[in-house]
Amino acid sequence: MHKCKLLASAVLGAGVLCVPNGYAMDLSLNMAIEKILDESQDLKKAQANVKKAEAQLKSVNANRWFHIDATASYMNMINVENPSKANGLTLPSQIGAMIDQSLADRDIYLEIPDNMFSVGVSVTQPIYTFGKIGNAVKSVKSAIKMSEASRELTRRAVKYSAADIYWTARMTDEIVAIAQSDLDGAVVARKKLTSAGRANRSNLVKIESDIATKEINLSNAKFNRDTAHRMLKILAGIDMDEPITLTDKMPTTFAPLNAGPIKSNPEWDILDNQVKMYESKVRASRAEYLPTLAATASYNFFAMGNEYDAMFDRSGTQSAYWGLALKMPIFSGGATSAAATISAMDAVAARQDLDKSKKMRTEEYNTAVEKYDHLRGNLSTLENARNLAAKAYKFSQERFGAGQTSAVELAEVSAGLYQLDMALLNARYELLMSAESVKKLGE
């Protein structure tokens, strides 16, 4: 990536100066977390599940209100035997005699209109369902709370992962600096050895071997740093060509957490509302045994005629009614009882999962708190050991420069300091992630 600046000169006029990688994005921990939360597909799916559950609530609530249905139909009757003629019906003379005695001596021919049109509107309003709709609504409300708790659980997991990748990337920066310093010390030792005119083959070979090993360590550290930075860019939605600078340094001091006992966790909210959802489903299923009372009303219009244009010239037939309807279930083949049993057993399983989750998450929370306190207690001891190793390395360098020690001893002291630098860095990382675990489980 190239950043360009516009330059002005009284002699040359205006010009453009392009400096490759001249600028880098400053990225703090909080900024990285916000970017990763915004980019998280898991969090977006969790939000979609919340909206889905809210839409399901609207769907179930709609059963409380009246439903209006309209129907309209048009039919053209066809004489199958002779399509060119209208449909007709011949009544025997006996039927004619029943209608009028004067018609008793001949058959009667009735012509059926070719065009028929009907339209109707019906309205149904539930009045009382004995808990069918109410418990269904409660079940969906519990599902909404489950999806909201699931979203919070996902948010915490993504936030923890964001902090993890940020501090991992920051730690790789520190490791590169440690590896570079370690290599520089070996290079300085070689210069001292060769400039003093006392370089024996044993010391020189050991120094060269030590330098080669440290160069590999530095190369590996840079590779791990670049890998961690690329992963951070991917998760944060940062262009891969955009250079970044991690502005938050790993802290050197850590305050007590003062964390009390865990009180709540999104996973518990999910399982608790799952129990409530299944219990509402049980009550809704049992309510299927009870009747449903509803008000109903209808209006219908019917018109017919031989010609389509003339069928509305005269008034058609109209009908309307209103009333109450009571629907009473008689026999369902055991489906209602089976549905209630299934939901009841699901509730039992959810209660067991809730009980197990409370035990497991409480133990994880307590372990994270204890680990933080444990590492914090060892940190000062580790820092003291590292400082002593640094002094020992300095003394060894001075002795080596005066020809009072060998390259083997210098390499051993250098390796000890390197290991303690890495141990101290890892302890700080573990402390940071232990604190993040406490937040994730019980913030």
Side-chain angles (χ1 to χ4, degrees):
M1 182 176 182
H2 299 277
K3 300 292 185 178
C4 300
K5 295 189 294 183
L6 182 65
L7 301 180
S9 170
V11 178
L12 299 177
V16 176
L17 173 65
C18 292
V19 182
N21 298 330
Y23 301 91
M25 175 190 294
D26 290 337
L27 191 66
S28 66
L29 173 63
N30 291 335
M31 186 186 299
I33 290 175
E34 289 300 321
K35 284 182 173 291
I36 292 175
L37 286 173
D38 290 339
E39 292 291 325
S40 173
Q41 288 84 4
D42 291 335
L43 196 56
K44 290 176 182 177
K45 289 192 292 184
Q47 178 61 31
N49 288 333
V50 173
K51 293 183 178 180
K52 177 182 176 181
E54 291 172 347
Q56 289 173 338
L57 178 61
K58 292 180 180 179
S59 176
V60 175
N61 259 325
N63 293 323
R64 295 180 182 272
W65 315 118
F66 59 85
H67 289 187
I68 302 177
D69 297 306
T71 58
S73 66
Y74 166 75
M75 293 182 292
N76 182 264
M77 307 297 290
I78 299 174
N79 188 332
V80 178
E81 296 178 354
N82 191 346
S84 64
K85 293 184 177 182
N87 284 282
L89 179 64
T90 302
L91 300 179
S93 59
Q94 293 86 348
I95 296 179
M98 296 173 61
I99 299 174
D100 190 340
Q101 189 62 36
S102 63
L103 302 175
D105 59 344
R106 60 190 177 89
D107 294 337
I108 302 175
Y109 179 79
L110 298 177
E111 186 175 309
I112 301 175
D114 290 342
N115 299 284
M116 296 183 183
F117 174 80
S118 66
V119 63
V121 178
S122 62
V123 181
T124 303
Q125 169 65 60
I127 296 177
Y128 196 70
T129 62
F130 293 89
K132 296 183 186 69
I133 297 177
N135 285 299
V137 169
K138 289 180 181 178
S139 176
V140 177
K141 285 183 177 180
S142 296
I144 291 176
K145 292 180 180 179
M146 286 172 57
S147 61
E148 290 173 343
S150 179
R151 178 182 60 189
E152 173 61 18
L153 186 66
T154 302
R155 188 192 69 82
R156 292 189 184 188
V158 172
K159 187 177 179 181
Y160 176 87
S161 298
D164 188 12
I165 188 61
Y166 185 90
W167 289 125
T168 298
R170 193 67 185 87
M171 186 169 67
T172 59
D173 290 343
E174 300 283 349
I175 292 174
V176 168
I178 292 172
Q180 183 66 62
S181 176
D182 195 36
L183 175 60
D184 292 343
V187 172
V188 169
R190 181 177 62 183
K191 289 181 179 180
K192 290 181 178 180
L193 187 65
T194 55
S195 63
R198 56 180 180 80
N200 61 59
R201 293 184 61 185
S202 176
N203 278 341
L204 189 59
V205 168
K206 178 58 182 174
I207 287 290
E208 292 296 340
S209 174
D210 199 31
I211 288 176
T213 301
K214 295 177 188 301
E215 285 177 343
I216 293 174
N217 291 339
L218 178 59
S219 177
N220 290 337
K222 289 181 177 179
F223 176 81
N224 293 333
R225 177 198 62 191
D226 294 341
T227 301
H229 279 231
R230 284 197 303 270
M231 182 58 66
L232 178 58
K233 289 178 182 179
I234 291 172
L235 294 177
I238 300 173
D239 190 277
M240 296 300 291
D241 295 329
E242 180 81 18
I244 58 174
T245 299
L246 307 184
T247 57
D248 283 16
K249 295 182 179 181
M250 299 188 74
T252 57
T253 59
F254 296 85
L257 283 180
N258 296 323
I262 186 171
K263 296 180 180 179
S264 65
N265 184 281
E267 186 175 314
W268 301 351
D269 296 334
I270 293 172
L271 293 171
D272 182 54
N273 282 288
Q274 191 174 44
V275 171
K276 294 177 181 178
M277 180 185 71
Y278 287 133
E279 289 175 344
S280 296
K281 285 186 175 182
V282 170
R283 291 191 292 269
S285 296
R286 290 173 178 170
E288 294 292 336
Y289 288 112
L290 303 174
T292 298
L293 180 64
T296 181
S298 176
Y299 169 80
N300 296 279
F301 173 81
F302 181 78
M304 58 183 178
N306 290 328
E307 299 296 334
Y308 175 79
D309 295 338
M311 63 185 296
F312 295 104
D313 290 346
R314 56 182 180 176
S315 299
T317 301
Q318 301 184 68
S319 65
Y321 71 83
W322 71 271
L324 297 176
L326 186 66
K327 180 182 178 182
M328 182 68 185
I330 302 298
F331 181 70
S332 64
T336 301
S337 175
T341 301
I342 291 171
S343 296
M345 294 304 100
D346 285 337
V348 171
R351 287 193 194 94
Q352 297 303 316
D353 290 340
L354 176 60
D355 182 64
K356 179 181 178 180
S357 177
K358 285 185 176 181
K359 293 177 181 178
M360 297 300 295
R361 299 294 89 79
T362 299
E363 177 61 25
E364 289 180 16
Y365 176 84
N366 292 337
T367 300
V369 173
E370 291 174 2
K371 183 178 180 180
Y372 182 89
D373 293 336
H374 171 74
L375 292 173
R376 185 171 173 270
N378 289 342
L379 186 62
S380 59
T381 303
L382 189 59
E383 288 174 341
N384 185 51
R386 188 269 169 196
N387 292 335
L388 291 174
K391 290 182 180 179
Y393 179 62
K394 182 178 180 181
F395 294 154
S396 183
Q397 282 181 315
E398 292 174 352
R399 292 175 61 201
F400 182 78
Q404 298 175 356
T405 187
S406 67
V408 174
E409 179 186 334
L410 180 64
E412 290 177 351
V413 176
S414 174
L417 176 60
Y418 181 81
Q419 291 175 358
L420 282 170
D421 278 333
M422 297 297 290
L424 182 59
L425 187 61
N426 187 66
R428 290 169 178 167
Y429 167 78
E430 292 290 336
L431 273 163
L432 287 167
M433 296 318 299
S434 294
E436 292 296 332
S437 295
V438 173
K439 294 178 183 179
K440 174 185 173 184
L441 293 167
E443 70 176 355

